[in-house]
Amino acid sequence: MTSFSPVHPLGLRARVLLSSVFGPYAQDDEYGSRTVNPMELYHNQVTRVQGGFSLRMFHRSFGLMMIQSNIDAPCTLLDFPSLDRFTSEIRDNTYDIVGISSILPNIGKVREMCRLVRKHQPGATIVVGGHIAGKKDLSGLIDADYICRGEGVRWFRRFLGQQEKDPIRHPLVHSGFGARVFGVTLPLRPGNTAAMLIPSVGCPVGCNFCSTSALFGGKGKAVHFYDTGDKLFEVMENIERNLQVKSFFVMDENFLLHRKRALRLLELMEENRKSWALFVFSSARVLRSYTLEELAGLGISWVWMGLEGENNTYEKLRNVDTVDLVKTLQSHGIRVLGSSIIGLENHTPENMDRVIDYAVSHDTDFHQFMLYTPIPGTPLYEEHRKAGTLHSEDVFPLADTHGQYRFNYRHRHIDGGREEAYLLDAFRRDFEVNGPSLARLIRTFLKGWKRYKDHPNRRIRERFAREVRPLRTVYAGAVWAMRKWYAEDRRMREKMDALLRDLYHAFGFLTRIAAPVTGRYLYRTLKNEEKRLARGWTWEPESVCDKNDAAVALEAAASTRIVLARPHVSIKRAGFSS
Ligand code: SF4
């Protein structure tokens, strides 16, 4: 067992299967699935307590898609298989390499998948990667041949004897699927979902708890797939053409940090009149280093930003008044997802109310709360390991180290078990004080449109006009339904009233007609969704199987061989059909 990868003897003739771990996910089972840890980014850790208002959505395993798009060997990708689906894939087909990607809480599933591969494909090489690879003793816990630590595209290219530095081919994929809110599943239509864009992985800022930064080298390090604005622009144009999108979910931990690339992209967008919208992750100081005109020009319309907590010591937040920053961004139509930590070193039972109040006071459009969790590979984990404060895995199963349940270590001020209540309190107070995220998001959209609808730059005007379109009908209906929902809650009803009045004022007669019609329908679907949730209903992603061109060609060649080897079958069929 080694983390160094030699070349597979079959090279590009090796048949590769890549798979995410098996579901279902939102249940408690012996493999480590947890009800509180569904395969949904928002419902898991952002809109967790928002019931029928919660944004439900799944995201493909982009790392595996990136690998599949960049290797020339025949490659099949299974995303979100059931255990049966994974088993039949390896029982009924032949593979030389099986790659499994996972986070650490799913280690029980990885162990089971390795066992099944050994049973059904004894000749296959097993490669395990993803965040789980941060665990140094992983090789002793699962039966894999190689652990791929860090970036997987180049690892696989080396392993298959391919040129690892060849240009990166970007997969064509929407950022999410299975979106659902108010009990309505939203169809995936061209133009209504952003495309995924992955310019780089890792983040050089290197915060002590950040497993993504640690996975790709930590402080000072990042891997750039597209290191110039020109290369990135070319990729985006290609995605725009093929998926018919104008918005991009930029899956780069700190996209704006690469200033030269971002500003060159801005130039090219300007030259080519692209009214694209970009949804980005950015740290606060980096964001503040851009002018609002630059952010508007770049189409930054949504940002995921770490707020962490009051009086934190993170350099990325030094001298930044985040309450003021959030307000400014929202006044320019930029929706903000703020991320706060529960359980920082200075958090105590005595100051927890203040900690939560501070987070809630940001009134972000979305708010993520996570427990301060040392994840293997991070500096925070090392600190706890050295101090001997980590819980042993017998006491605290790895399946529970997802940051939405308990500390996996002894906190210096908070006794074990109390943290879950604090976390839920934070989610609830944010929801109670600031209301459903959908209403906040609509409010920010409206502010942006009012400010920019007459902007002299046509492509900026166009973006806001495009983004605001659903506010005239569907979103106005959602606000109407929310106002009815909060009929007994005076403060929230007044909030919804004010928002609805603003929408009517901005968009006029047709919106006044559309809102109650759509609103009545959405109110009904919302009520039904609440009933489903009360019965314990969960939302699971559908399994997906993708083959690259080489795998399709291999399959076609194999079926031709079968037909040639059994001429009587084809002759008989031909006879029937004529
Ligand atoms: S700034 Fe954000 S992405 Fe970068 S290391 Fe810190 S937490 Fe991670």
PDB file of all heavy atoms in Angstrom, residues 22 30-31 83 86-87 90 98 100 107-122 126 128 141-144:
ATOM      1  N   PHE A  22     -22.550   4.580  -2.017  1.00  0.00           N
ATOM      2  CA  PHE A  22     -23.935   4.209  -2.301  1.00  0.00           C
ATOM      3  C   PHE A  22     -24.921   4.841  -1.318  1.00  0.00           C
ATOM      4  O   PHE A  22     -24.586   5.186  -0.201  1.00  0.00           O
ATOM      5  CB  PHE A  22     -24.078   2.672  -2.300  1.00  0.00           C
ATOM      6  CG  PHE A  22     -23.683   1.998  -1.010  1.00  0.00           C
ATOM      7  CD1 PHE A  22     -24.584   1.869   0.038  1.00  0.00           C
ATOM      8  CD2 PHE A  22     -22.407   1.470  -0.851  1.00  0.00           C
ATOM      9  CE1 PHE A  22     -24.217   1.247   1.221  1.00  0.00           C
ATOM     10  CE2 PHE A  22     -22.028   0.851   0.331  1.00  0.00           C
ATOM     11  CZ  PHE A  22     -22.934   0.737   1.374  1.00  0.00           C
ATOM     12  N   GLU A  30     -26.165   0.802   9.132  1.00  0.00           N
ATOM     13  CA  GLU A  30     -24.909   0.246   9.632  1.00  0.00           C
ATOM     14  C   GLU A  30     -23.702   0.682   8.814  1.00  0.00           C
ATOM     15  O   GLU A  30     -22.566   0.498   9.233  1.00  0.00           O
ATOM     16  CB  GLU A  30     -24.997  -1.285   9.711  1.00  0.00           C
ATOM     17  CG  GLU A  30     -24.886  -2.032   8.382  1.00  0.00           C
ATOM     18  CD  GLU A  30     -26.250  -2.337   7.741  1.00  0.00           C
ATOM     19  OE1 GLU A  30     -27.160  -1.483   7.855  1.00  0.00           O
ATOM     20  OE2 GLU A  30     -26.363  -3.399   7.130  1.00  0.00           O
ATOM     21  N   TYR A  31     -23.947   1.259   7.606  1.00  0.00           N
ATOM     22  CA  TYR A  31     -22.813   1.677   6.775  1.00  0.00           C
ATOM     23  C   TYR A  31     -22.402   3.120   7.047  1.00  0.00           C
ATOM     24  O   TYR A  31     -21.457   3.621   6.452  1.00  0.00           O
ATOM     25  CB  TYR A  31     -23.176   1.519   5.291  1.00  0.00           C
ATOM     26  CG  TYR A  31     -23.505   0.095   4.929  1.00  0.00           C
ATOM     27  CD1 TYR A  31     -24.789  -0.260   4.534  1.00  0.00           C
ATOM     28  CD2 TYR A  31     -22.521  -0.899   4.985  1.00  0.00           C
ATOM     29  CE1 TYR A  31     -25.092  -1.565   4.195  1.00  0.00           C
ATOM     30  CE2 TYR A  31     -22.817  -2.211   4.652  1.00  0.00           C
ATOM     31  CZ  TYR A  31     -24.106  -2.539   4.264  1.00  0.00           C
ATOM     32  OH  TYR A  31     -24.397  -3.834   3.943  1.00  0.00           O
ATOM     33  N   LEU A  83     -26.761   0.228  -3.216  1.00  0.00           N
ATOM     34  CA  LEU A  83     -25.802  -0.867  -3.010  1.00  0.00           C
ATOM     35  C   LEU A  83     -26.027  -1.947  -4.070  1.00  0.00           C
ATOM     36  O   LEU A  83     -25.067  -2.502  -4.626  1.00  0.00           O
ATOM     37  CB  LEU A  83     -25.968  -1.431  -1.592  1.00  0.00           C
ATOM     38  CG  LEU A  83     -24.976  -2.501  -1.152  1.00  0.00           C
ATOM     39  CD1 LEU A  83     -23.543  -2.059  -1.342  1.00  0.00           C
ATOM     40  CD2 LEU A  83     -25.218  -2.886   0.315  1.00  0.00           C
ATOM     41  N   PHE A  86     -24.590  -0.778  -7.467  1.00  0.00           N
ATOM     42  CA  PHE A  86     -23.129  -0.874  -7.504  1.00  0.00           C
ATOM     43  C   PHE A  86     -22.709  -2.341  -7.642  1.00  0.00           C
ATOM     44  O   PHE A  86     -21.830  -2.684  -8.438  1.00  0.00           O
ATOM     45  CB  PHE A  86     -22.524  -0.264  -6.232  1.00  0.00           C
ATOM     46  CG  PHE A  86     -21.026  -0.373  -6.179  1.00  0.00           C
ATOM     47  CD1 PHE A  86     -20.224   0.445  -6.961  1.00  0.00           C
ATOM     48  CD2 PHE A  86     -20.411  -1.320  -5.362  1.00  0.00           C
ATOM     49  CE1 PHE A  86     -18.834   0.331  -6.938  1.00  0.00           C
ATOM     50  CE2 PHE A  86     -19.024  -1.440  -5.321  1.00  0.00           C
ATOM     51  CZ  PHE A  86     -18.236  -0.601  -6.117  1.00  0.00           C
ATOM     52  N   THR A  87     -23.386  -3.196  -6.878  1.00  0.00           N
ATOM     53  CA  THR A  87     -23.026  -4.625  -6.911  1.00  0.00           C
ATOM     54  C   THR A  87     -23.257  -5.204  -8.303  1.00  0.00           C
ATOM     55  O   THR A  87     -22.409  -5.929  -8.837  1.00  0.00           O
ATOM     56  CB  THR A  87     -23.856  -5.411  -5.866  1.00  0.00           C
ATOM     57  OG1 THR A  87     -23.718  -4.769  -4.602  1.00  0.00           O
ATOM     58  CG2 THR A  87     -23.386  -6.847  -5.761  1.00  0.00           C
ATOM     59  N   ILE A  90     -20.487  -4.202 -10.835  1.00  0.00           N
ATOM     60  CA  ILE A  90     -19.193  -4.905 -10.768  1.00  0.00           C
ATOM     61  C   ILE A  90     -19.356  -6.422 -10.943  1.00  0.00           C
ATOM     62  O   ILE A  90     -18.397  -7.117 -11.249  1.00  0.00           O
ATOM     63  CB  ILE A  90     -18.427  -4.593  -9.457  1.00  0.00           C
ATOM     64  CG1 ILE A  90     -19.289  -4.858  -8.230  1.00  0.00           C
ATOM     65  CG2 ILE A  90     -17.901  -3.164  -9.455  1.00  0.00           C
ATOM     66  CD1 ILE A  90     -18.531  -4.729  -6.927  1.00  0.00           C
ATOM     67  N   VAL A  98     -11.105   0.296 -10.156  1.00  0.00           N
ATOM     68  CA  VAL A  98     -12.323   0.853  -9.564  1.00  0.00           C
ATOM     69  C   VAL A  98     -11.897   2.007  -8.648  1.00  0.00           C
ATOM     70  O   VAL A  98     -11.118   1.810  -7.708  1.00  0.00           O
ATOM     71  CB  VAL A  98     -13.120  -0.197  -8.760  1.00  0.00           C
ATOM     72  CG1 VAL A  98     -14.358   0.453  -8.127  1.00  0.00           C
ATOM     73  CG2 VAL A  98     -13.546  -1.360  -9.656  1.00  0.00           C
ATOM     74  N   ILE A 100     -13.094   5.008  -6.051  1.00  0.00           N
ATOM     75  CA  ILE A 100     -14.216   5.380  -5.177  1.00  0.00           C
ATOM     76  C   ILE A 100     -13.876   6.698  -4.500  1.00  0.00           C
ATOM     77  O   ILE A 100     -12.789   6.867  -3.945  1.00  0.00           O
ATOM     78  CB  ILE A 100     -14.452   4.301  -4.090  1.00  0.00           C
ATOM     79  CG1 ILE A 100     -14.736   2.947  -4.756  1.00  0.00           C
ATOM     80  CG2 ILE A 100     -15.618   4.699  -3.173  1.00  0.00           C
ATOM     81  CD1 ILE A 100     -14.643   1.761  -3.798  1.00  0.00           C
ATOM     82  N   ILE A 107     -16.915   6.230   5.493  1.00  0.00           N
ATOM     83  CA  ILE A 107     -15.865   5.206   5.443  1.00  0.00           C
ATOM     84  C   ILE A 107     -16.449   3.788   5.481  1.00  0.00           C
ATOM     85  O   ILE A 107     -15.924   2.867   4.835  1.00  0.00           O
ATOM     86  CB  ILE A 107     -14.824   5.422   6.580  1.00  0.00           C
ATOM     87  CG1 ILE A 107     -13.630   4.483   6.394  1.00  0.00           C
ATOM     88  CG2 ILE A 107     -15.447   5.277   7.955  1.00  0.00           C
ATOM     89  CD1 ILE A 107     -12.449   4.821   7.278  1.00  0.00           C
ATOM     90  N   GLY A 108     -17.554   3.597   6.188  1.00  0.00           N
ATOM     91  CA  GLY A 108     -18.173   2.262   6.261  1.00  0.00           C
ATOM     92  C   GLY A 108     -18.649   1.810   4.888  1.00  0.00           C
ATOM     93  O   GLY A 108     -18.584   0.627   4.545  1.00  0.00           O
ATOM     94  N   LYS A 109     -19.118   2.745   4.086  1.00  0.00           N
ATOM     95  CA  LYS A 109     -19.575   2.409   2.738  1.00  0.00           C
ATOM     96  C   LYS A 109     -18.381   2.061   1.842  1.00  0.00           C
ATOM     97  O   LYS A 109     -18.441   1.142   1.037  1.00  0.00           O
ATOM     98  CB  LYS A 109     -20.348   3.586   2.137  1.00  0.00           C
ATOM     99  CG  LYS A 109     -21.584   3.929   2.928  1.00  0.00           C
ATOM    100  CD  LYS A 109     -22.410   4.977   2.239  1.00  0.00           C
ATOM    101  CE  LYS A 109     -23.628   5.257   3.106  1.00  0.00           C
ATOM    102  NZ  LYS A 109     -24.695   5.908   2.387  1.00  0.00           N
ATOM    103  N   VAL A 110     -17.316   2.844   2.001  1.00  0.00           N
ATOM    104  CA  VAL A 110     -16.117   2.578   1.195  1.00  0.00           C
ATOM    105  C   VAL A 110     -15.580   1.175   1.533  1.00  0.00           C
ATOM    106  O   VAL A 110     -15.208   0.407   0.642  1.00  0.00           O
ATOM    107  CB  VAL A 110     -15.039   3.652   1.447  1.00  0.00           C
ATOM    108  CG1 VAL A 110     -13.758   3.333   0.690  1.00  0.00           C
ATOM    109  CG2 VAL A 110     -15.558   5.028   1.049  1.00  0.00           C
ATOM    110  N   ARG A 111     -15.584   0.854   2.810  1.00  0.00           N
ATOM    111  CA  ARG A 111     -15.088  -0.467   3.232  1.00  0.00           C
ATOM    112  C   ARG A 111     -15.913  -1.571   2.569  1.00  0.00           C
ATOM    113  O   ARG A 111     -15.378  -2.532   2.024  1.00  0.00           O
ATOM    114  CB  ARG A 111     -15.178  -0.578   4.756  1.00  0.00           C
ATOM    115  CG  ARG A 111     -14.447  -1.771   5.318  1.00  0.00           C
ATOM    116  CD  ARG A 111     -14.552  -1.836   6.828  1.00  0.00           C
ATOM    117  NE  ARG A 111     -13.851  -0.777   7.489  1.00  0.00           N
ATOM    118  CZ  ARG A 111     -14.418   0.125   8.308  1.00  0.00           C
ATOM    119  NH1 ARG A 111     -15.710   0.061   8.573  1.00  0.00           N
ATOM    120  NH2 ARG A 111     -13.701   1.070   8.875  1.00  0.00           N
ATOM    121  N   GLU A 112     -17.225  -1.404   2.576  1.00  0.00           N
ATOM    122  CA  GLU A 112     -18.109  -2.404   1.981  1.00  0.00           C
ATOM    123  C   GLU A 112     -17.913  -2.481   0.460  1.00  0.00           C
ATOM    124  O   GLU A 112     -17.898  -3.566  -0.128  1.00  0.00           O
ATOM    125  CB  GLU A 112     -19.569  -2.057   2.323  1.00  0.00           C
ATOM    126  CG  GLU A 112     -20.619  -2.963   1.710  1.00  0.00           C
ATOM    127  CD  GLU A 112     -20.540  -4.415   2.200  1.00  0.00           C
ATOM    128  OE1 GLU A 112     -19.716  -4.720   3.083  1.00  0.00           O
ATOM    129  OE2 GLU A 112     -21.298  -5.250   1.665  1.00  0.00           O
ATOM    130  N   MET A 113     -17.722  -1.325  -0.174  1.00  0.00           N
ATOM    131  CA  MET A 113     -17.536  -1.316  -1.633  1.00  0.00           C
ATOM    132  C   MET A 113     -16.222  -2.004  -2.006  1.00  0.00           C
ATOM    133  O   MET A 113     -16.156  -2.750  -2.981  1.00  0.00           O
ATOM    134  CB  MET A 113     -17.585   0.125  -2.157  1.00  0.00           C
ATOM    135  CG  MET A 113     -18.982   0.729  -2.070  1.00  0.00           C
ATOM    136  SD  MET A 113     -19.022   2.514  -2.324  1.00  0.00           S
ATOM    137  CE  MET A 113     -19.112   2.648  -4.104  1.00  0.00           C
ATOM    138  N   CYS A 114     -15.180  -1.769  -1.208  1.00  0.00           N
ATOM    139  CA  CYS A 114     -13.902  -2.449  -1.472  1.00  0.00           C
ATOM    140  C   CYS A 114     -14.088  -3.970  -1.333  1.00  0.00           C
ATOM    141  O   CYS A 114     -13.586  -4.753  -2.147  1.00  0.00           O
ATOM    142  CB  CYS A 114     -12.828  -1.977  -0.483  1.00  0.00           C
ATOM    143  SG  CYS A 114     -12.317  -0.277  -0.730  1.00  0.00           S
ATOM    144  N   ARG A 115     -14.821  -4.378  -0.304  1.00  0.00           N
ATOM    145  CA  ARG A 115     -15.045  -5.824  -0.086  1.00  0.00           C
ATOM    146  C   ARG A 115     -15.756  -6.430  -1.302  1.00  0.00           C
ATOM    147  O   ARG A 115     -15.386  -7.494  -1.801  1.00  0.00           O
ATOM    148  CB  ARG A 115     -15.881  -6.014   1.185  1.00  0.00           C
ATOM    149  CG  ARG A 115     -16.049  -7.453   1.629  1.00  0.00           C
ATOM    150  CD  ARG A 115     -17.021  -7.595   2.778  1.00  0.00           C
ATOM    151  NE  ARG A 115     -18.409  -7.397   2.384  1.00  0.00           N
ATOM    152  CZ  ARG A 115     -19.147  -8.259   1.711  1.00  0.00           C
ATOM    153  NH1 ARG A 115     -18.644  -9.423   1.363  1.00  0.00           N
ATOM    154  NH2 ARG A 115     -20.393  -7.972   1.375  1.00  0.00           N
ATOM    155  N   LEU A 116     -16.749  -5.714  -1.804  1.00  0.00           N
ATOM    156  CA  LEU A 116     -17.510  -6.223  -2.950  1.00  0.00           C
ATOM    157  C   LEU A 116     -16.650  -6.267  -4.220  1.00  0.00           C
ATOM    158  O   LEU A 116     -16.764  -7.182  -5.026  1.00  0.00           O
ATOM    159  CB  LEU A 116     -18.747  -5.353  -3.181  1.00  0.00           C
ATOM    160  CG  LEU A 116     -19.846  -5.534  -2.133  1.00  0.00           C
ATOM    161  CD1 LEU A 116     -20.868  -4.407  -2.220  1.00  0.00           C
ATOM    162  CD2 LEU A 116     -20.526  -6.892  -2.293  1.00  0.00           C
ATOM    163  N   VAL A 117     -15.796  -5.285  -4.382  1.00  0.00           N
ATOM    164  CA  VAL A 117     -14.916  -5.284  -5.563  1.00  0.00           C
ATOM    165  C   VAL A 117     -13.977  -6.494  -5.486  1.00  0.00           C
ATOM    166  O   VAL A 117     -13.775  -7.204  -6.479  1.00  0.00           O
ATOM    167  CB  VAL A 117     -14.109  -3.969  -5.669  1.00  0.00           C
ATOM    168  CG1 VAL A 117     -13.110  -4.048  -6.815  1.00  0.00           C
ATOM    169  CG2 VAL A 117     -15.041  -2.775  -5.857  1.00  0.00           C
ATOM    170  N   ARG A 118     -13.404  -6.740  -4.318  1.00  0.00           N
ATOM    171  CA  ARG A 118     -12.511  -7.912  -4.178  1.00  0.00           C
ATOM    172  C   ARG A 118     -13.253  -9.195  -4.521  1.00  0.00           C
ATOM    173  O   ARG A 118     -12.708 -10.122  -5.117  1.00  0.00           O
ATOM    174  CB  ARG A 118     -11.976  -8.014  -2.745  1.00  0.00           C
ATOM    175  CG  ARG A 118     -11.054  -6.880  -2.338  1.00  0.00           C
ATOM    176  CD  ARG A 118      -9.762  -6.889  -3.111  1.00  0.00           C
ATOM    177  NE  ARG A 118      -8.846  -5.868  -2.614  1.00  0.00           N
ATOM    178  CZ  ARG A 118      -8.172  -5.030  -3.390  1.00  0.00           C
ATOM    179  NH1 ARG A 118      -8.292  -5.068  -4.697  1.00  0.00           N
ATOM    180  NH2 ARG A 118      -7.351  -4.151  -2.859  1.00  0.00           N
ATOM    181  N   LYS A 119     -14.523  -9.262  -4.151  1.00  0.00           N
ATOM    182  CA  LYS A 119     -15.307 -10.481  -4.385  1.00  0.00           C
ATOM    183  C   LYS A 119     -15.659 -10.655  -5.869  1.00  0.00           C
ATOM    184  O   LYS A 119     -15.480 -11.730  -6.441  1.00  0.00           O
ATOM    185  CB  LYS A 119     -16.598 -10.393  -3.557  1.00  0.00           C
ATOM    186  CG  LYS A 119     -17.514 -11.580  -3.716  1.00  0.00           C
ATOM    187  CD  LYS A 119     -18.715 -11.434  -2.794  1.00  0.00           C
ATOM    188  CE  LYS A 119     -19.744 -12.510  -3.132  1.00  0.00           C
ATOM    189  NZ  LYS A 119     -21.022 -12.234  -2.500  1.00  0.00           N
ATOM    190  N   HIS A 120     -16.122  -9.578  -6.500  1.00  0.00           N
ATOM    191  CA  HIS A 120     -16.628  -9.704  -7.870  1.00  0.00           C
ATOM    192  C   HIS A 120     -15.593  -9.374  -8.933  1.00  0.00           C
ATOM    193  O   HIS A 120     -15.746  -9.792 -10.090  1.00  0.00           O
ATOM    194  CB  HIS A 120     -17.853  -8.797  -8.059  1.00  0.00           C
ATOM    195  CG  HIS A 120     -19.014  -9.200  -7.203  1.00  0.00           C
ATOM    196  ND1 HIS A 120     -19.746 -10.337  -7.433  1.00  0.00           N
ATOM    197  CD2 HIS A 120     -19.557  -8.621  -6.111  1.00  0.00           C
ATOM    198  CE1 HIS A 120     -20.705 -10.440  -6.514  1.00  0.00           C
ATOM    199  NE2 HIS A 120     -20.598  -9.410  -5.693  1.00  0.00           N
ATOM    200  N   GLN A 121     -14.580  -8.594  -8.588  1.00  0.00           N
ATOM    201  CA  GLN A 121     -13.546  -8.208  -9.554  1.00  0.00           C
ATOM    202  C   GLN A 121     -12.184  -8.389  -8.894  1.00  0.00           C
ATOM    203  O   GLN A 121     -11.468  -7.413  -8.638  1.00  0.00           O
ATOM    204  CB  GLN A 121     -13.710  -6.732  -9.962  1.00  0.00           C
ATOM    205  CG  GLN A 121     -15.032  -6.347 -10.558  1.00  0.00           C
ATOM    206  CD  GLN A 121     -15.105  -6.658 -12.044  1.00  0.00           C
ATOM    207  OE1 GLN A 121     -14.089  -6.759 -12.731  1.00  0.00           O
ATOM    208  NE2 GLN A 121     -16.310  -6.830 -12.540  1.00  0.00           N
ATOM    209  N   PRO A 122     -11.807  -9.634  -8.615  1.00  0.00           N
ATOM    210  CA  PRO A 122     -10.575  -9.833  -7.841  1.00  0.00           C
ATOM    211  C   PRO A 122      -9.320  -9.281  -8.527  1.00  0.00           C
ATOM    212  O   PRO A 122      -8.329  -9.000  -7.860  1.00  0.00           O
ATOM    213  CB  PRO A 122     -10.504 -11.355  -7.667  1.00  0.00           C
ATOM    214  CG  PRO A 122     -11.515 -11.927  -8.597  1.00  0.00           C
ATOM    215  CD  PRO A 122     -12.524 -10.888  -8.904  1.00  0.00           C
ATOM    216  N   ILE A 126      -7.999  -1.113  -6.762  1.00  0.00           N
ATOM    217  CA  ILE A 126      -8.930  -0.188  -6.112  1.00  0.00           C
ATOM    218  C   ILE A 126      -8.199   1.091  -5.714  1.00  0.00           C
ATOM    219  O   ILE A 126      -7.157   1.043  -5.040  1.00  0.00           O
ATOM    220  CB  ILE A 126      -9.573  -0.823  -4.859  1.00  0.00           C
ATOM    221  CG1 ILE A 126     -10.307  -2.120  -5.233  1.00  0.00           C
ATOM    222  CG2 ILE A 126     -10.527   0.158  -4.185  1.00  0.00           C
ATOM    223  CD1 ILE A 126     -10.915  -2.859  -4.045  1.00  0.00           C
ATOM    224  N   VAL A 128      -8.872   4.829  -3.873  1.00  0.00           N
ATOM    225  CA  VAL A 128      -9.823   5.609  -3.075  1.00  0.00           C
ATOM    226  C   VAL A 128      -9.317   7.047  -2.937  1.00  0.00           C
ATOM    227  O   VAL A 128      -8.131   7.273  -2.686  1.00  0.00           O
ATOM    228  CB  VAL A 128     -10.034   4.960  -1.685  1.00  0.00           C
ATOM    229  CG1 VAL A 128     -10.848   5.875  -0.766  1.00  0.00           C
ATOM    230  CG2 VAL A 128     -10.755   3.621  -1.839  1.00  0.00           C
ATOM    231  N   LEU A 141      -7.549   0.782   7.260  1.00  0.00           N
ATOM    232  CA  LEU A 141      -8.965   0.660   7.621  1.00  0.00           C
ATOM    233  C   LEU A 141      -9.841   0.157   6.479  1.00  0.00           C
ATOM    234  O   LEU A 141     -10.977  -0.259   6.697  1.00  0.00           O
ATOM    235  CB  LEU A 141      -9.501   2.028   8.086  1.00  0.00           C
ATOM    236  CG  LEU A 141      -8.754   2.679   9.259  1.00  0.00           C
ATOM    237  CD1 LEU A 141      -9.260   4.087   9.511  1.00  0.00           C
ATOM    238  CD2 LEU A 141      -8.931   1.822  10.507  1.00  0.00           C
ATOM    239  N   ILE A 142      -9.335   0.243   5.253  1.00  0.00           N
ATOM    240  CA  ILE A 142     -10.107  -0.242   4.100  1.00  0.00           C
ATOM    241  C   ILE A 142      -9.166  -1.048   3.208  1.00  0.00           C
ATOM    242  O   ILE A 142      -7.949  -0.868   3.256  1.00  0.00           O
ATOM    243  CB  ILE A 142     -10.701   0.930   3.274  1.00  0.00           C
ATOM    244  CG1 ILE A 142      -9.582   1.900   2.846  1.00  0.00           C
ATOM    245  CG2 ILE A 142     -11.782   1.661   4.050  1.00  0.00           C
ATOM    246  CD1 ILE A 142     -10.014   2.944   1.872  1.00  0.00           C
ATOM    247  N   ASP A 143      -9.760  -1.902   2.362  1.00  0.00           N
ATOM    248  CA  ASP A 143      -8.937  -2.762   1.517  1.00  0.00           C
ATOM    249  C   ASP A 143      -8.759  -2.139   0.133  1.00  0.00           C
ATOM    250  O   ASP A 143      -9.312  -2.623  -0.855  1.00  0.00           O
ATOM    251  CB  ASP A 143      -9.623  -4.143   1.421  1.00  0.00           C
ATOM    252  CG  ASP A 143      -8.778  -5.142   0.666  1.00  0.00           C
ATOM    253  OD1 ASP A 143      -7.597  -4.831   0.377  1.00  0.00           O
ATOM    254  OD2 ASP A 143      -9.298  -6.225   0.350  1.00  0.00           O
ATOM    255  N   ALA A 144      -7.984  -1.045   0.075  1.00  0.00           N
ATOM    256  CA  ALA A 144      -7.734  -0.392  -1.225  1.00  0.00           C
ATOM    257  C   ALA A 144      -6.280  -0.608  -1.618  1.00  0.00           C
ATOM    258  O   ALA A 144      -5.428  -0.888  -0.768  1.00  0.00           O
ATOM    259  CB  ALA A 144      -8.030   1.094  -1.118  1.00  0.00           C
TER     260      ALA A 144
END
